[in-house]
Amino acid sequence: MNYPIVRFAPSPTGYLHIGGARTALFNWLFAKKHQGKFLLRIEDTDLERSERLYIDQIISALDWLGLNHDGNYILQSNNLSNHHAVLNQLLNQGKAYRCFYTKEELDQLRLESEKAKKPFRVPTTYRDISQEEVNKHLQDQKEFTIRLKVPEGKTCFEDLVYGNITVQNREIDDFILARSDGSPTYNFVVTIDDADMKITHVIRGDDHLANTPKQILIYEALDLPIPTFAHLPMILGSDGKRLSKRHAATNVQEYKEKGYQPKSIINYLSLLGWNPDSDDEIFSINEIIEKFELNQVQKKPAIFDEKKLNWISGQHLQKSSLRELTSAIKDLDFTWAENHSEGFIKDLVLLLQERSKNIQDIIELGKIIVSNPSYSKEDLHKIFIDNNFEIIENFTTGLSFDEFTASNIEELINNISIQNEVSLGVVMKQIRFAITGITYGPSLVEILLLLGQDSVISRLKNFVKQLT
């Protein structure tokens, strides 16, 4: 277990998915836990769908999360010549063969099996034909695939999550290693690349569990050391279906743009399928590394809960330093509160910190507080029945006291509540709306103190002037 070598191997056909980020994280944690290496391989052999844009974004997203890979990343396409060399090696050793069945022929055989209500198996007609027959088919320019000669017996492996798994080889067809156009298949290239990179542990999603026996057979055919496997549970939405945009944002870039901190995403993703045998749920990255064990990964699918993510994000936000928060705010919006003093910005951030779930919340709510408000007519009519602004006018007049303090403001609000025979909630809601244009947010008194006496009075007068 010491000094393992693991890899994350995404395809650059889209932005880094949140499920892929969880896979990368578990690999990275395992490497860090055991003083190993975390390597990055970009599986770019799908030339039609792979784009440089996505390679750059995947690397950027991993860097943003802090999941830094060791050494340079590897492009799978750079290993194609070796893939073909190994295919030829297997053919020469008699461990693979050219299969001259066409797709149409196999489709017809499959249909016949279905009609006979028998399980379809790819015939091994070409498995042991003579070299003379092979040469004749090649001279006739017949297309062929390359298939592995699956041996008799069984394939067993110990999965670090699922335990012992045994598959009878008779259940596995002589599967394709290279297609009729010469392109190697996924199971083949992944096995060769992992062997070349000396990967000791393959940690990936359990959607690859069915691929593992085939890959082990390739390792065995080439007399290569077989890595240890660990398959992670799928991430599902709240309805039990595969995570998609109808459940939540699905790629890391979206969460970055929404203002979530990397440590919050890391904390939340670590708990998707992993149980640290603790009631605690808020961890630093170092604490997660220290506690992480693959045998604590659950077999059942993990449910993505954005409410839980927001709660975890809020907890980390509250623990963040002022410098960390202001730096993150400027990264998302360099012009935020730019016309205000450092002292004002500091007080504003501290005011919003405990009431926000991410950096974007601080930015948006801060903009509302520092900007001249706009008013929704719908909210206006709900809050001010019959356009009665008496409470606002009384409050504006009452603010002329010499000391603009929390106690004086609270006393004034209480007196207006009594005089107008309405609840404190009604008074505060009307004042908040007149000052900010919204009905939610931090403590009203703290907002008033932050804006200052002159600014508050000016906003209140402008509100009444605009709407009367």
Side-chain angles (χ1 to χ4, degrees):
M1 192 72 76
N2 288 331
Y3 315 115
I5 302 175
V6 299
R7 50 71 167 176
F8 176 53
S11 298
T13 55
Y15 292 116
L16 180 62
H17 189 275
I18 206 74
R22 196 275 304 266
T23 299
L25 170 63
F26 280 29
N27 275 277
W28 184 84
L29 289 171
F30 186 76
K32 291 295 181 183
K33 173 81 173 186
H34 300 287
Q35 296 82 49
K37 290 183 178 180
F38 170 64
L39 307 182
L40 176 62
R41 181 174 74 235
I42 303 295
E43 300 195 334
D44 62 336
T45 48
D46 184 346
L47 299 179
E48 290 185 3
R49 299 173 60 213
S50 296
E51 293 186 28
R52 179 73 227 184
L53 164 70
Y54 296 133
I55 295 176
D56 293 339
Q57 193 282 324
I58 289 169
I59 294 171
S60 174
L62 291 173
D63 288 345
W64 178 71
L65 289 170
L67 307 181
N68 300 315
H69 56 276
D70 294 295
N72 297 325
Y73 69 87
I74 293 171
L75 288 176
Q76 188 174 66
S77 58
N78 289 342
N79 204 24
L80 283 176
S81 61
N82 185 46
H83 298 155
H84 288 289
V86 177
L87 282 170
N88 288 328
Q89 175 188 336
L90 288 171
L91 286 170
N92 293 334
Q93 292 175 343
K95 295 179 179 179
Y97 65 97
R98 295 177 178 88
C99 177
F100 294 95
Y101 274 115
T102 65
K103 180 180 182 300
E104 291 74 20
E105 289 173 333
L106 290 175
D107 287 344
Q108 180 60 36
L109 291 171
R110 186 177 290 106
L111 184 61
E112 291 173 4
S113 293
E114 290 175 359
K115 288 180 179 179
K117 297 183 178 179
K118 294 180 179 180
F120 173 71
R121 299 299 304 274
V122 175
T124 57
T125 307
Y126 299 100
R127 177 172 172 141
D128 294 309
I129 63 175
S130 67
Q131 187 60 47
E132 184 179 354
E133 290 176 283
V134 170
N135 291 339
K136 185 178 184 306
H137 288 308
L138 293 176
Q139 288 171 4
D140 293 340
Q141 296 185 335
K142 289 191 68 174
E143 288 188 349
F144 62 87
T145 58
I146 297 176
R147 293 181 180 270
L148 184 76
K149 290 184 178 180
V150 175
E152 295 181 356
K154 58 186 178 181
T155 299
C156 305
F157 65 98
E158 187 71 26
D159 189 276
L160 295 182
V161 175
Y162 282 85
N164 184 267
I165 295 176
T166 299
V167 175
Q168 299 298 326
N169 289 354
R170 63 176 177 271
E171 298 175 6
I172 304 174
D173 281 326
D174 286 354
F175 56 91
I176 295 175
L177 302 179
R179 304 174 186 88
S180 58
D181 64 0
S183 61
T185 59
Y186 170 80
N187 280 321
F188 179 72
V189 296
V190 163
T191 303
I192 303 309
D193 291 344
D194 283 346
D196 288 347
M197 294 169 68
K198 296 181 171 53
I199 300 302
T200 63
H201 294 74
V202 174
I203 304 170
R204 58 190 179 187
D206 64 4
D207 53 326
H208 289 288
L209 196 55
N211 291 326
T212 304
K214 294 180 179 180
Q215 292 171 13
I216 289 175
L217 287 170
I218 297 171
Y219 281 111
E220 290 176 341
L222 293 166
D223 295 322
L224 294 170
I226 300 170
T228 300
F229 292 91
H231 289 87
L232 310 176
M234 295 290 288
I235 301 176
L236 305 178
S238 55
D239 57 1
K241 297 182 180 179
R242 195 177 185 119
L243 185 65
S244 66
K245 285 187 176 296
R246 70 177 178 274
H247 303 111
T250 56
N251 71 66
V252 173
Q253 184 67 25
E254 289 179 83
Y255 285 101
K256 180 180 179 181
E257 291 170 356
K258 286 184 175 184
Y260 288 85
Q261 296 171 291
K263 59 184 176 183
S264 302
I265 300 295
I266 292 291
N267 190 162
Y268 180 68
L269 289 181
S270 72
L271 298 175
L272 285 179
W274 171 62
N275 186 340
D277 290 334
S278 168
D279 292 333
D280 296 333
E281 294 182 294
I282 305 302
F283 300 107
S284 69
I285 291 176
N286 287 335
E287 288 172 334
I288 297 171
I289 293 172
E290 181 182 350
K291 295 176 181 293
F292 185 77
E293 298 289 350
L294 275 175
N295 61 14
Q296 294 174 325
V297 174
Q298 301 170 334
K299 298 177 186 177
K300 65 180 181 180
I303 304 299
F304 191 93
D305 182 352
E306 197 159 39
K307 290 183 180 178
K308 182 69 169 291
L309 168 61
N310 287 336
W311 178 78
I312 288 176
S313 179
Q315 295 297 307
H316 279 287
L317 206 67
Q318 291 178 33
K319 295 181 178 182
S320 298
S321 68
L322 180 64
R323 177 179 295 180
E324 186 178 2
L325 292 176
T326 52
S327 175
I329 289 168
K330 292 299 183 184
D331 284 343
L332 284 178
D333 186 348
F334 188 77
T335 64
W336 189 76
E338 63 180 349
N339 295 322
H340 293 80
S341 67
E342 287 188 14
F344 179 90
I345 292 174
K346 173 183 175 181
D347 291 340
L348 179 60
V349 172
L350 293 175
L351 174 62
L352 302 176
Q353 180 177 7
E354 293 187 3
R355 298 164 178 85
S356 301
K357 63 181 182 294
N358 56 50
I359 300 297
Q360 196 64 46
D361 281 355
I362 295 178
I363 291 173
E364 295 304 321
L365 195 51
K367 284 180 178 178
I368 291 170
I369 290 174
V370 301
S371 302
N372 290 324
S374 58
Y375 304 103
S376 159
K377 289 184 179 180
E378 183 180 352
D379 288 339
L380 181 69
H381 295 319
K382 287 180 181 178
I383 298 169
F384 297 92
I385 307 302
D386 298 326
N387 286 341
N388 184 347
F389 303 118
E390 184 177 354
I391 287 175
I392 299 301
E393 291 169 341
N394 291 342
F395 185 67
T396 306
T397 302
L399 283 177
S400 58
F401 36 65
D402 293 334
E403 295 185 12
F404 194 66
T405 63
S407 58
N408 285 340
I409 294 170
E410 289 167 355
E411 182 180 356
L412 175 60
I413 291 172
N414 188 58
N415 289 339
I416 291 175
S417 169
I418 295 171
Q419 292 167 10
N420 289 270
E421 297 181 346
V422 295
S423 68
L424 281 172
V426 169
V427 176
M428 296 177 75
K429 190 173 187 178
Q430 290 193 9
I431 296 170
R432 181 188 293 277
F433 185 76
I435 292 293
T436 65
I438 58 175
T439 58
Y440 60 90
S443 159
L444 173 62
V445 173
E446 290 184 64
I447 291 176
L448 299 177
L449 290 173
L450 178 68
L451 292 173
Q453 189 172 19
D454 292 342
S455 178
V456 169
I457 292 173
S458 175
R459 287 194 184 196
L460 292 170
K461 288 181 177 180
N462 286 337
F463 171 76
V464 175
K465 185 177 180 180
Q466 285 182 53
L467 302 169
T468 55

